[in-house]
Amino acid sequence: MTDIYGLTYKKMRDALEEIGEKPSRADVIFPAIYRDGITDLSALGFKDETTEKLSGNFYSGELECVRVLSSDTADKYLLRLSDGNTIESVMMKHEFGYNVCISTQVGCNMGCKFCASGKLKKVRDLTAAEMSGQLIAIKRISGKKISGLSIMGIGEPLDNYDNVTDLISIAMYQKGLDIGAKHITLSTCGLVPKIYELADSENPVNLAISLHAPTDELRRTIMPSANRYSISEIIEAARYYSTRNNRRITFEYVMLSGINDSVQQAKQLAELLCGLNGYVNIIRYNSTGDQAFTCTPHEQIMAFYDILKKNGIGVTMRRSLGSSVSAACGQLRAETR
Ligand code: SAH
């Protein structure tokens, strides 16, 4: 039995052909399950014989919603997978629409010191079905149309490359959720070979890279993955990605008081990114209950911001949504208590 939510349009056509059905049935099934929210495969209006074949070969693996925590700016969903593991997804409420942030793994092995998710060990990768299942569950429960997708919840998306690229294809397909590539952002801690692979892939979505430090020495102390790839390798990969796809790369930079937020570090960062088609997205550090880190005071964040600006680097400040329900960046960990 195959979970139908894990099939890209092309894979659905192939799977239908394999069971002796017309591939074009995918043109009916895709909008029904993604646009109309139909979960019962016997309610698709096909003749009995087709319905039997569909029900005998496919199922729609809905995720069970354990809890929703709501705030004005974001809702956090705790979802249970069929093997009992739990994950979290967040719906961010913007004036211009609803953006869903999905998890890509149960736990995460990247071990970033400032991130709550990094404190969990990776249990396993999520399947494409479990990722599109997050979108389906949130769409059904909230009743909202999802206009943007952030692939930056729990897990490292490029450490689950094939399933994540299938998910992107599913989310983008026009007869389904129809989320445009411009409205999809994938965030990575910087797995260099996979950045090149995504750059050359069918759907090179917006890329955000968690940089968080201007030197390898400092980066290695807060992000273990920095031992595998240097900042210069990451910058080269980013340059390739942006040139190949004509996209602006986002460099995420979480403000950690006394660690990565000095005037000198702002200048080093500006130097690194000089001439690159990218910009810095400054993120306030959200508390994870770890005493080792606090967020840089507001005035100092603004000083850091100004230095980047003065040196010709584009900068934005990420609006911190959902911190009151521990749904903000770095706070996801799927607490079940
Ligand atoms: N593994 C991916 C995506 C998940 S994290 C990555 O590393 O990019 C999404 C973003 O939240 C990353 O930029 C991450 O560094 C940031 N983040 C992690 N912990 C945080 C915290 N406590 N406060 C603010 N941002 C945090």
Side-chain angles (χ1 to χ4, degrees):
M1 291 281 266
T2 304
D3 189 339
I4 199 139
Y5 291 135
L7 298 175
T8 62
Y9 176 71
K10 192 178 170 303
K11 286 188 177 171
M12 193 184 288
R13 286 180 64 94
D14 293 347
L16 286 163
E17 199 162 24
E18 257 172 46
I19 60 166
E21 279 295 329
K22 288 192 204 132
S24 61
R25 301 246 191 259
D27 296 308
V28 176
I29 301 173
F30 230 90
I33 62 175
Y34 287 107
R35 212 182 279 167
D36 307 334
I38 294 175
T39 52
D40 179 359
L41 297 181
S42 62
L44 297 175
F46 292 125
K47 288 204 198 99
D48 289 353
E49 194 196 338
T50 300
T51 299
E52 266 168 40
K53 265 198 215 160
L54 290 183
S55 309
N57 290 280
F58 303 113
Y59 68 100
S60 45
E62 279 184 279
L63 303 186
E64 180 197 343
C65 181
V66 181
R67 186 171 66 207
V68 184
L69 292 178
S70 291
S71 74
D72 291 351
T73 53
D75 296 339
K76 181 165 81 166
Y77 292 75
L78 179 68
L79 302 169
R80 185 175 287 127
L81 309 171
S82 59
D83 65 358
N85 279 305
T86 51
I87 49 163
E88 290 184 327
S89 323
V90 179
M91 187 175 79
M92 293 166 279
K93 308 168 192 176
H94 296 288
E95 279 139 41
F96 46 85
Y98 296 90
N99 185 307
V100 171
C101 177
I102 60 164
S103 292
T104 55
Q105 296 177 323
V106 178
C108 180
N109 264 354
M110 298 300 126
C112 300
K113 298 277 192 293
F114 46 83
C115 178
S117 311
K119 297 205 169 68
L120 316 160
K121 274 269 152 272
K122 180 173 103 173
V123 176
R124 66 174 176 85
D125 290 334
L126 294 187
T127 62
E130 288 166 333
M131 289 185 266
S132 67
Q134 295 172 59
L135 297 172
I136 289 293
I138 293 181
K139 183 171 182 281
R140 173 172 48 81
I141 296 165
S142 68
K144 306 290 187 207
K145 174 167 172 27
I146 299 167
S147 50
L149 170 62
S150 300
I151 308 176
M152 49 176 93
I154 301 170
E156 168 49 49
L158 296 187
D159 185 36
N160 183 12
Y161 186 87
D162 292 345
N163 292 336
V164 166
T165 45
D166 272 4
L167 174 272
I168 290 171
S169 165
I170 292 168
M172 282 179 62
Y173 191 64
Q174 278 103 335
K175 288 177 184 165
L177 293 166
D178 192 21
I179 306 174
K182 289 214 170 84
H183 301 281
I184 302 180
T185 304
L186 180 151
S187 177
T188 175
C189 64
L191 304 186
V192 167
K194 294 292 174 189
I195 293 178
Y196 284 102
E197 207 172 325
L198 190 68
D200 294 335
S201 75
E202 214 171 306
N203 299 310
V205 293
N206 296 317
L207 182 69
I209 299 178
S210 296
L211 199 60
H212 304 324
T215 63
D216 286 319
E217 199 186 358
L218 173 62
R219 200 164 182 267
R220 286 186 201 120
T221 66
I222 53 175
M223 299 178 71
S225 65
N227 290 305
R228 289 162 68 191
Y229 304 107
S230 68
I231 292 178
S232 62
E233 287 172 307
I234 291 175
I235 301 279
E236 265 329 292
R239 201 183 302 281
Y240 178 81
Y241 199 100
S242 94
T243 315
R244 174 97 161 84
N245 299 299
N246 193 24
R247 277 183 195 267
R248 258 184 119 195
I249 308 297
T250 308
F251 291 94
E252 293 155 299
Y253 201 94
V254 63
M255 300 303 295
L256 304 170
S257 185
I259 294 175
N260 65 355
D261 58 353
S262 72
V263 168
Q264 196 206 352
Q265 285 161 328
K267 288 182 182 158
Q268 286 173 324
L269 181 60
E271 209 168 293
L272 266 182
L273 303 181
C274 182
L276 206 141
N277 183 16
Y279 66 99
V280 176
N281 187 212
I282 291 181
I283 312 176
R284 290 182 54 79
Y285 166 70
N286 296 305
S287 172
T288 61
D290 188 329
Q291 307 300 320
F293 301 106
T294 51
C295 184
T296 305
H298 181 73
E299 269 170 31
Q300 201 182 330
I301 295 182
M302 291 323 292
F304 197 92
Y305 177 101
D306 286 341
I307 294 168
L308 292 173
K309 271 256 135 104
K310 272 199 205 105
N311 284 278
I313 306 295
V315 204
T316 55
M317 299 268 286
R318 180 171 295 180
R319 275 181 68 208
S320 180
L321 303 182
S323 53
S324 67
V325 288
S326 291
C329 301
Q331 294 184 317
L332 301 184
R333 55 178 302 164
E335 284 171 284
T336 42
R337 277 171 291 124

PDB file of all heavy atoms in Angstrom, residues 6-39:
ATOM      1  N   GLY A   6       2.364  10.999  -0.660  1.00  0.00           N
ATOM      2  CA  GLY A   6       3.803  11.039  -0.925  1.00  0.00           C
ATOM      3  C   GLY A   6       4.139  11.070  -2.404  1.00  0.00           C
ATOM      4  O   GLY A   6       5.306  11.125  -2.777  1.00  0.00           O
ATOM      5  N   LEU A   7       3.126  11.027  -3.266  1.00  0.00           N
ATOM      6  CA  LEU A   7       3.387  10.929  -4.702  1.00  0.00           C
ATOM      7  C   LEU A   7       3.382  12.293  -5.375  1.00  0.00           C
ATOM      8  O   LEU A   7       2.413  13.053  -5.264  1.00  0.00           O
ATOM      9  CB  LEU A   7       2.322  10.044  -5.369  1.00  0.00           C
ATOM     10  CG  LEU A   7       2.263   8.587  -4.879  1.00  0.00           C
ATOM     11  CD1 LEU A   7       1.084   7.867  -5.537  1.00  0.00           C
ATOM     12  CD2 LEU A   7       3.569   7.864  -5.168  1.00  0.00           C
ATOM     13  N   THR A   8       4.458  12.578  -6.096  1.00  0.00           N
ATOM     14  CA  THR A   8       4.438  13.761  -6.950  1.00  0.00           C
ATOM     15  C   THR A   8       3.460  13.454  -8.091  1.00  0.00           C
ATOM     16  O   THR A   8       3.063  12.291  -8.288  1.00  0.00           O
ATOM     17  CB  THR A   8       5.829  14.018  -7.571  1.00  0.00           C
ATOM     18  OG1 THR A   8       6.154  12.887  -8.390  1.00  0.00           O
ATOM     19  CG2 THR A   8       6.890  14.178  -6.493  1.00  0.00           C
ATOM     20  N   TYR A   9       3.114  14.465  -8.845  1.00  0.00           N
ATOM     21  CA  TYR A   9       2.186  14.251  -9.969  1.00  0.00           C
ATOM     22  C   TYR A   9       2.732  13.158 -10.901  1.00  0.00           C
ATOM     23  O   TYR A   9       2.022  12.248 -11.299  1.00  0.00           O
ATOM     24  CB  TYR A   9       1.996  15.565 -10.720  1.00  0.00           C
ATOM     25  CG  TYR A   9       1.141  15.442 -11.963  1.00  0.00           C
ATOM     26  CD1 TYR A   9      -0.225  15.224 -11.856  1.00  0.00           C
ATOM     27  CD2 TYR A   9       1.713  15.551 -13.228  1.00  0.00           C
ATOM     28  CE1 TYR A   9      -1.012  15.108 -12.998  1.00  0.00           C
ATOM     29  CE2 TYR A   9       0.940  15.439 -14.371  1.00  0.00           C
ATOM     30  CZ  TYR A   9      -0.423  15.212 -14.244  1.00  0.00           C
ATOM     31  OH  TYR A   9      -1.193  15.090 -15.372  1.00  0.00           O
ATOM     32  N   LYS A  10       4.016  13.247 -11.185  1.00  0.00           N
ATOM     33  CA  LYS A  10       4.602  12.282 -12.108  1.00  0.00           C
ATOM     34  C   LYS A  10       4.589  10.873 -11.507  1.00  0.00           C
ATOM     35  O   LYS A  10       4.229   9.895 -12.168  1.00  0.00           O
ATOM     36  CB  LYS A  10       6.043  12.714 -12.437  1.00  0.00           C
ATOM     37  CG  LYS A  10       6.623  11.945 -13.581  1.00  0.00           C
ATOM     38  CD  LYS A  10       8.017  12.380 -13.959  1.00  0.00           C
ATOM     39  CE  LYS A  10       8.615  11.401 -14.957  1.00  0.00           C
ATOM     40  NZ  LYS A  10       8.653  10.015 -14.454  1.00  0.00           N
ATOM     41  N   LYS A  11       4.946  10.780 -10.234  1.00  0.00           N
ATOM     42  CA  LYS A  11       4.957   9.468  -9.581  1.00  0.00           C
ATOM     43  C   LYS A  11       3.542   8.902  -9.461  1.00  0.00           C
ATOM     44  O   LYS A  11       3.345   7.697  -9.493  1.00  0.00           O
ATOM     45  CB  LYS A  11       5.623   9.548  -8.205  1.00  0.00           C
ATOM     46  CG  LYS A  11       7.140   9.680  -8.303  1.00  0.00           C
ATOM     47  CD  LYS A  11       7.826   9.570  -6.958  1.00  0.00           C
ATOM     48  CE  LYS A  11       9.341   9.648  -7.152  1.00  0.00           C
ATOM     49  NZ  LYS A  11      10.075   9.772  -5.895  1.00  0.00           N
ATOM     50  N   MET A  12       2.555   9.787  -9.314  1.00  0.00           N
ATOM     51  CA  MET A  12       1.173   9.309  -9.237  1.00  0.00           C
ATOM     52  C   MET A  12       0.755   8.725 -10.589  1.00  0.00           C
ATOM     53  O   MET A  12       0.120   7.669 -10.652  1.00  0.00           O
ATOM     54  CB  MET A  12       0.228  10.444  -8.818  1.00  0.00           C
ATOM     55  CG  MET A  12      -1.156   9.945  -8.417  1.00  0.00           C
ATOM     56  SD  MET A  12      -2.306  11.286  -8.047  1.00  0.00           S
ATOM     57  CE  MET A  12      -1.678  11.879  -6.491  1.00  0.00           C
ATOM     58  N   ARG A  13       1.139   9.403 -11.649  1.00  0.00           N
ATOM     59  CA  ARG A  13       0.817   8.876 -12.992  1.00  0.00           C
ATOM     60  C   ARG A  13       1.454   7.498 -13.190  1.00  0.00           C
ATOM     61  O   ARG A  13       0.796   6.567 -13.659  1.00  0.00           O
ATOM     62  CB  ARG A  13       1.329   9.846 -14.078  1.00  0.00           C
ATOM     63  CG  ARG A  13       0.496  11.113 -14.210  1.00  0.00           C
ATOM     64  CD  ARG A  13       1.063  12.012 -15.305  1.00  0.00           C
ATOM     65  NE  ARG A  13       0.992  11.383 -16.620  1.00  0.00           N
ATOM     66  CZ  ARG A  13       0.009  11.546 -17.501  1.00  0.00           C
ATOM     67  NH1 ARG A  13      -0.992  12.354 -17.205  1.00  0.00           N
ATOM     68  NH2 ARG A  13       0.028  10.939 -18.660  1.00  0.00           N
ATOM     69  N   ASP A  14       2.721   7.384 -12.800  1.00  0.00           N
ATOM     70  CA  ASP A  14       3.415   6.095 -12.947  1.00  0.00           C
ATOM     71  C   ASP A  14       2.749   5.011 -12.102  1.00  0.00           C
ATOM     72  O   ASP A  14       2.582   3.875 -12.551  1.00  0.00           O
ATOM     73  CB  ASP A  14       4.895   6.221 -12.525  1.00  0.00           C
ATOM     74  CG  ASP A  14       5.678   7.118 -13.481  1.00  0.00           C
ATOM     75  OD1 ASP A  14       5.145   7.417 -14.586  1.00  0.00           O
ATOM     76  OD2 ASP A  14       6.796   7.535 -13.117  1.00  0.00           O
ATOM     77  N   ALA A  15       2.381   5.395 -10.874  1.00  0.00           N
ATOM     78  CA  ALA A  15       1.777   4.409  -9.967  1.00  0.00           C
ATOM     79  C   ALA A  15       0.421   3.943 -10.495  1.00  0.00           C
ATOM     80  O   ALA A  15       0.055   2.773 -10.373  1.00  0.00           O
ATOM     81  CB  ALA A  15       1.620   5.017  -8.577  1.00  0.00           C
ATOM     82  N   LEU A  16      -0.321   4.856 -11.111  1.00  0.00           N
ATOM     83  CA  LEU A  16      -1.619   4.483 -11.679  1.00  0.00           C
ATOM     84  C   LEU A  16      -1.418   3.531 -12.845  1.00  0.00           C
ATOM     85  O   LEU A  16      -2.124   2.520 -12.973  1.00  0.00           O
ATOM     86  CB  LEU A  16      -2.378   5.745 -12.122  1.00  0.00           C
ATOM     87  CG  LEU A  16      -2.950   6.577 -10.974  1.00  0.00           C
ATOM     88  CD1 LEU A  16      -3.316   7.985 -11.437  1.00  0.00           C
ATOM     89  CD2 LEU A  16      -4.173   5.892 -10.364  1.00  0.00           C
ATOM     90  N   GLU A  17      -0.446   3.841 -13.663  1.00  0.00           N
ATOM     91  CA  GLU A  17      -0.171   2.990 -14.818  1.00  0.00           C
ATOM     92  C   GLU A  17       0.196   1.573 -14.372  1.00  0.00           C
ATOM     93  O   GLU A  17      -0.258   0.584 -14.947  1.00  0.00           O
ATOM     94  CB  GLU A  17       0.959   3.594 -15.659  1.00  0.00           C
ATOM     95  CG  GLU A  17       0.984   3.047 -17.077  1.00  0.00           C
ATOM     96  CD  GLU A  17       1.798   3.941 -18.010  1.00  0.00           C
ATOM     97  OE1 GLU A  17       2.670   4.684 -17.517  1.00  0.00           O
ATOM     98  OE2 GLU A  17       1.544   3.870 -19.222  1.00  0.00           O
ATOM     99  N   GLU A  18       0.979   1.521 -13.312  1.00  0.00           N
ATOM    100  CA  GLU A  18       1.406   0.212 -12.796  1.00  0.00           C
ATOM    101  C   GLU A  18       0.255  -0.668 -12.359  1.00  0.00           C
ATOM    102  O   GLU A  18       0.332  -1.888 -12.442  1.00  0.00           O
ATOM    103  CB  GLU A  18       2.330   0.420 -11.589  1.00  0.00           C
ATOM    104  CG  GLU A  18       3.791   0.203 -11.922  1.00  0.00           C
ATOM    105  CD  GLU A  18       4.684   0.604 -10.776  1.00  0.00           C
ATOM    106  OE1 GLU A  18       4.387   0.234  -9.627  1.00  0.00           O
ATOM    107  OE2 GLU A  18       5.668   1.331 -11.058  1.00  0.00           O
ATOM    108  N   ILE A  19      -0.816  -0.052 -11.876  1.00  0.00           N
ATOM    109  CA  ILE A  19      -1.951  -0.882 -11.447  1.00  0.00           C
ATOM    110  C   ILE A  19      -3.003  -0.982 -12.557  1.00  0.00           C
ATOM    111  O   ILE A  19      -4.147  -1.380 -12.326  1.00  0.00           O
ATOM    112  CB  ILE A  19      -2.602  -0.367 -10.131  1.00  0.00           C
ATOM    113  CG1 ILE A  19      -3.147   1.067 -10.293  1.00  0.00           C
ATOM    114  CG2 ILE A  19      -1.613  -0.431  -8.980  1.00  0.00           C
ATOM    115  CD1 ILE A  19      -4.073   1.493  -9.163  1.00  0.00           C
ATOM    116  N   GLY A  20      -2.594  -0.596 -13.769  1.00  0.00           N
ATOM    117  CA  GLY A  20      -3.476  -0.763 -14.923  1.00  0.00           C
ATOM    118  C   GLY A  20      -4.564   0.286 -15.038  1.00  0.00           C
ATOM    119  O   GLY A  20      -5.584   0.074 -15.684  1.00  0.00           O
ATOM    120  N   GLU A  21      -4.313   1.440 -14.418  1.00  0.00           N
ATOM    121  CA  GLU A  21      -5.274   2.539 -14.527  1.00  0.00           C
ATOM    122  C   GLU A  21      -4.718   3.618 -15.452  1.00  0.00           C
ATOM    123  O   GLU A  21      -3.504   3.708 -15.664  1.00  0.00           O
ATOM    124  CB  GLU A  21      -5.544   3.136 -13.142  1.00  0.00           C
ATOM    125  CG  GLU A  21      -6.541   2.355 -12.318  1.00  0.00           C
ATOM    126  CD  GLU A  21      -7.943   2.349 -12.931  1.00  0.00           C
ATOM    127  OE1 GLU A  21      -8.302   3.335 -13.598  1.00  0.00           O
ATOM    128  OE2 GLU A  21      -8.654   1.353 -12.746  1.00  0.00           O
ATOM    129  N   LYS A  22      -5.620   4.447 -15.964  1.00  0.00           N
ATOM    130  CA  LYS A  22      -5.144   5.535 -16.824  1.00  0.00           C
ATOM    131  C   LYS A  22      -4.332   6.540 -16.001  1.00  0.00           C
ATOM    132  O   LYS A  22      -4.820   7.021 -14.966  1.00  0.00           O
ATOM    133  CB  LYS A  22      -6.338   6.282 -17.409  1.00  0.00           C
ATOM    134  CG  LYS A  22      -7.089   5.532 -18.465  1.00  0.00           C
ATOM    135  CD  LYS A  22      -8.042   6.523 -19.137  1.00  0.00           C
ATOM    136  CE  LYS A  22      -9.205   5.782 -19.746  1.00  0.00           C
ATOM    137  NZ  LYS A  22     -10.501   6.341 -19.421  1.00  0.00           N
ATOM    138  N   PRO A  23      -3.125   6.898 -16.471  1.00  0.00           N
ATOM    139  CA  PRO A  23      -2.330   7.896 -15.742  1.00  0.00           C
ATOM    140  C   PRO A  23      -3.084   9.218 -15.584  1.00  0.00           C
ATOM    141  O   PRO A  23      -2.898   9.940 -14.604  1.00  0.00           O
ATOM    142  CB  PRO A  23      -1.101   8.091 -16.631  1.00  0.00           C
ATOM    143  CG  PRO A  23      -1.024   6.870 -17.477  1.00  0.00           C
ATOM    144  CD  PRO A  23      -2.423   6.369 -17.647  1.00  0.00           C
ATOM    145  N   SER A  24      -3.962   9.509 -16.549  1.00  0.00           N
ATOM    146  CA  SER A  24      -4.668  10.793 -16.501  1.00  0.00           C
ATOM    147  C   SER A  24      -5.617  10.911 -15.304  1.00  0.00           C
ATOM    148  O   SER A  24      -6.097  11.997 -14.995  1.00  0.00           O
ATOM    149  CB  SER A  24      -5.466  11.007 -17.795  1.00  0.00           C
ATOM    150  OG  SER A  24      -6.424   9.976 -17.915  1.00  0.00           O
ATOM    151  N   ARG A  25      -5.863   9.790 -14.623  1.00  0.00           N
ATOM    152  CA  ARG A  25      -6.686   9.880 -13.404  1.00  0.00           C
ATOM    153  C   ARG A  25      -6.016  10.792 -12.365  1.00  0.00           C
ATOM    154  O   ARG A  25      -6.671  11.331 -11.484  1.00  0.00           O
ATOM    155  CB  ARG A  25      -6.869   8.502 -12.770  1.00  0.00           C
ATOM    156  CG  ARG A  25      -7.529   7.485 -13.681  1.00  0.00           C
ATOM    157  CD  ARG A  25      -8.892   7.085 -13.136  1.00  0.00           C
ATOM    158  NE  ARG A  25      -9.429   5.942 -13.847  1.00  0.00           N
ATOM    159  CZ  ARG A  25     -10.341   6.016 -14.797  1.00  0.00           C
ATOM    160  NH1 ARG A  25     -10.820   7.190 -15.185  1.00  0.00           N
ATOM    161  NH2 ARG A  25     -10.796   4.933 -15.384  1.00  0.00           N
ATOM    162  N   ALA A  26      -4.699  10.947 -12.493  1.00  0.00           N
ATOM    163  CA  ALA A  26      -3.977  11.846 -11.567  1.00  0.00           C
ATOM    164  C   ALA A  26      -4.536  13.267 -11.658  1.00  0.00           C
ATOM    165  O   ALA A  26      -4.516  14.012 -10.685  1.00  0.00           O
ATOM    166  CB  ALA A  26      -2.485  11.848 -11.870  1.00  0.00           C
ATOM    167  N   ASP A  27      -5.064  13.621 -12.828  1.00  0.00           N
ATOM    168  CA  ASP A  27      -5.620  14.971 -12.995  1.00  0.00           C
ATOM    169  C   ASP A  27      -6.908  15.170 -12.197  1.00  0.00           C
ATOM    170  O   ASP A  27      -7.334  16.298 -11.969  1.00  0.00           O
ATOM    171  CB  ASP A  27      -5.892  15.252 -14.482  1.00  0.00           C
ATOM    172  CG  ASP A  27      -4.596  15.262 -15.263  1.00  0.00           C
ATOM    173  OD1 ASP A  27      -3.678  15.982 -14.845  1.00  0.00           O
ATOM    174  OD2 ASP A  27      -4.491  14.526 -16.264  1.00  0.00           O
ATOM    175  N   VAL A  28      -7.526  14.062 -11.824  1.00  0.00           N
ATOM    176  CA  VAL A  28      -8.716  14.144 -10.973  1.00  0.00           C
ATOM    177  C   VAL A  28      -8.313  14.026  -9.504  1.00  0.00           C
ATOM    178  O   VAL A  28      -8.788  14.764  -8.641  1.00  0.00           O
ATOM    179  CB  VAL A  28      -9.716  13.004 -11.328  1.00  0.00           C
ATOM    180  CG1 VAL A  28     -10.913  13.020 -10.376  1.00  0.00           C
ATOM    181  CG2 VAL A  28     -10.153  13.109 -12.776  1.00  0.00           C
ATOM    182  N   ILE A  29      -7.388  13.080  -9.256  1.00  0.00           N
ATOM    183  CA  ILE A  29      -7.029  12.785  -7.857  1.00  0.00           C
ATOM    184  C   ILE A  29      -6.284  13.953  -7.198  1.00  0.00           C
ATOM    185  O   ILE A  29      -6.591  14.343  -6.064  1.00  0.00           O
ATOM    186  CB  ILE A  29      -6.172  11.494  -7.773  1.00  0.00           C
ATOM    187  CG1 ILE A  29      -6.948  10.309  -8.365  1.00  0.00           C
ATOM    188  CG2 ILE A  29      -5.781  11.201  -6.334  1.00  0.00           C
ATOM    189  CD1 ILE A  29      -6.142   9.019  -8.490  1.00  0.00           C
ATOM    190  N   PHE A  30      -5.346  14.521  -7.941  1.00  0.00           N
ATOM    191  CA  PHE A  30      -4.535  15.599  -7.343  1.00  0.00           C
ATOM    192  C   PHE A  30      -5.391  16.759  -6.808  1.00  0.00           C
ATOM    193  O   PHE A  30      -5.298  17.107  -5.625  1.00  0.00           O
ATOM    194  CB  PHE A  30      -3.477  16.090  -8.336  1.00  0.00           C
ATOM    195  CG  PHE A  30      -2.103  16.138  -7.748  1.00  0.00           C
ATOM    196  CD1 PHE A  30      -1.264  15.032  -7.817  1.00  0.00           C
ATOM    197  CD2 PHE A  30      -1.652  17.263  -7.083  1.00  0.00           C
ATOM    198  CE1 PHE A  30       0.003  15.052  -7.251  1.00  0.00           C
ATOM    199  CE2 PHE A  30      -0.385  17.301  -6.511  1.00  0.00           C
ATOM    200  CZ  PHE A  30       0.442  16.202  -6.601  1.00  0.00           C
ATOM    201  N   PRO A  31      -6.240  17.350  -7.661  1.00  0.00           N
ATOM    202  CA  PRO A  31      -7.066  18.452  -7.119  1.00  0.00           C
ATOM    203  C   PRO A  31      -8.012  17.994  -6.022  1.00  0.00           C
ATOM    204  O   PRO A  31      -8.262  18.728  -5.072  1.00  0.00           O
ATOM    205  CB  PRO A  31      -7.869  18.950  -8.329  1.00  0.00           C
ATOM    206  CG  PRO A  31      -7.420  18.181  -9.502  1.00  0.00           C
ATOM    207  CD  PRO A  31      -6.426  17.155  -9.086  1.00  0.00           C
ATOM    208  N   ALA A  32      -8.509  16.763  -6.128  1.00  0.00           N
ATOM    209  CA  ALA A  32      -9.470  16.288  -5.117  1.00  0.00           C
ATOM    210  C   ALA A  32      -8.820  16.204  -3.742  1.00  0.00           C
ATOM    211  O   ALA A  32      -9.380  16.676  -2.754  1.00  0.00           O
ATOM    212  CB  ALA A  32     -10.027  14.922  -5.518  1.00  0.00           C
ATOM    213  N   ILE A  33      -7.606  15.622  -3.692  1.00  0.00           N
ATOM    214  CA  ILE A  33      -7.018  15.452  -2.355  1.00  0.00           C
ATOM    215  C   ILE A  33      -6.343  16.719  -1.839  1.00  0.00           C
ATOM    216  O   ILE A  33      -6.345  16.983  -0.646  1.00  0.00           O
ATOM    217  CB  ILE A  33      -6.050  14.237  -2.273  1.00  0.00           C
ATOM    218  CG1 ILE A  33      -4.855  14.383  -3.217  1.00  0.00           C
ATOM    219  CG2 ILE A  33      -6.785  12.938  -2.553  1.00  0.00           C
ATOM    220  CD1 ILE A  33      -3.819  13.260  -3.056  1.00  0.00           C
ATOM    221  N   TYR A  34      -5.789  17.523  -2.753  1.00  0.00           N
ATOM    222  CA  TYR A  34      -5.066  18.707  -2.271  1.00  0.00           C
ATOM    223  C   TYR A  34      -5.916  19.971  -2.258  1.00  0.00           C
ATOM    224  O   TYR A  34      -5.800  20.803  -1.377  1.00  0.00           O
ATOM    225  CB  TYR A  34      -3.791  18.940  -3.091  1.00  0.00           C
ATOM    226  CG  TYR A  34      -2.733  17.929  -2.743  1.00  0.00           C
ATOM    227  CD1 TYR A  34      -2.404  16.894  -3.615  1.00  0.00           C
ATOM    228  CD2 TYR A  34      -2.098  17.969  -1.504  1.00  0.00           C
ATOM    229  CE1 TYR A  34      -1.447  15.941  -3.266  1.00  0.00           C
ATOM    230  CE2 TYR A  34      -1.144  17.021  -1.147  1.00  0.00           C
ATOM    231  CZ  TYR A  34      -0.826  16.016  -2.036  1.00  0.00           C
ATOM    232  OH  TYR A  34       0.110  15.080  -1.679  1.00  0.00           O
ATOM    233  N   ARG A  35      -6.776  20.140  -3.262  1.00  0.00           N
ATOM    234  CA  ARG A  35      -7.556  21.378  -3.310  1.00  0.00           C
ATOM    235  C   ARG A  35      -8.848  21.222  -2.529  1.00  0.00           C
ATOM    236  O   ARG A  35      -9.208  22.072  -1.735  1.00  0.00           O
ATOM    237  CB  ARG A  35      -7.852  21.725  -4.773  1.00  0.00           C
ATOM    238  CG  ARG A  35      -7.920  23.208  -5.005  1.00  0.00           C
ATOM    239  CD  ARG A  35      -8.251  23.499  -6.441  1.00  0.00           C
ATOM    240  NE  ARG A  35      -7.085  23.407  -7.309  1.00  0.00           N
ATOM    241  CZ  ARG A  35      -7.159  23.372  -8.633  1.00  0.00           C
ATOM    242  NH1 ARG A  35      -8.330  23.399  -9.248  1.00  0.00           N
ATOM    243  NH2 ARG A  35      -6.073  23.312  -9.361  1.00  0.00           N
ATOM    244  N   ASP A  36      -9.538  20.102  -2.752  1.00  0.00           N
ATOM    245  CA  ASP A  36     -10.844  19.927  -2.110  1.00  0.00           C
ATOM    246  C   ASP A  36     -10.750  19.221  -0.756  1.00  0.00           C
ATOM    247  O   ASP A  36     -11.743  19.092  -0.051  1.00  0.00           O
ATOM    248  CB  ASP A  36     -11.783  19.131  -3.027  1.00  0.00           C
ATOM    249  CG  ASP A  36     -11.861  19.756  -4.420  1.00  0.00           C
ATOM    250  OD1 ASP A  36     -11.625  20.981  -4.520  1.00  0.00           O
ATOM    251  OD2 ASP A  36     -12.120  19.028  -5.396  1.00  0.00           O
ATOM    252  N   GLY A  37      -9.594  18.714  -0.439  1.00  0.00           N
ATOM    253  CA  GLY A  37      -9.408  18.090   0.878  1.00  0.00           C
ATOM    254  C   GLY A  37     -10.101  16.744   1.051  1.00  0.00           C
ATOM    255  O   GLY A  37     -10.367  16.331   2.185  1.00  0.00           O
ATOM    256  N   ILE A  38     -10.381  16.063  -0.044  1.00  0.00           N
ATOM    257  CA  ILE A  38     -11.021  14.746   0.073  1.00  0.00           C
ATOM    258  C   ILE A  38      -9.984  13.723   0.556  1.00  0.00           C
ATOM    259  O   ILE A  38      -8.885  13.643   0.023  1.00  0.00           O
ATOM    260  CB  ILE A  38     -11.619  14.304  -1.291  1.00  0.00           C
ATOM    261  CG1 ILE A  38     -12.763  15.256  -1.646  1.00  0.00           C
ATOM    262  CG2 ILE A  38     -12.077  12.843  -1.250  1.00  0.00           C
ATOM    263  CD1 ILE A  38     -13.368  15.017  -3.010  1.00  0.00           C
ATOM    264  N   THR A  39     -10.343  12.977   1.602  1.00  0.00           N
ATOM    265  CA  THR A  39      -9.388  11.990   2.116  1.00  0.00           C
ATOM    266  C   THR A  39      -9.847  10.561   1.809  1.00  0.00           C
ATOM    267  O   THR A  39      -9.060   9.630   1.855  1.00  0.00           O
ATOM    268  CB  THR A  39      -9.227  12.130   3.645  1.00  0.00           C
ATOM    269  OG1 THR A  39     -10.523  12.117   4.224  1.00  0.00           O
ATOM    270  CG2 THR A  39      -8.522  13.421   4.010  1.00  0.00           C
TER     271      THR A  39
END
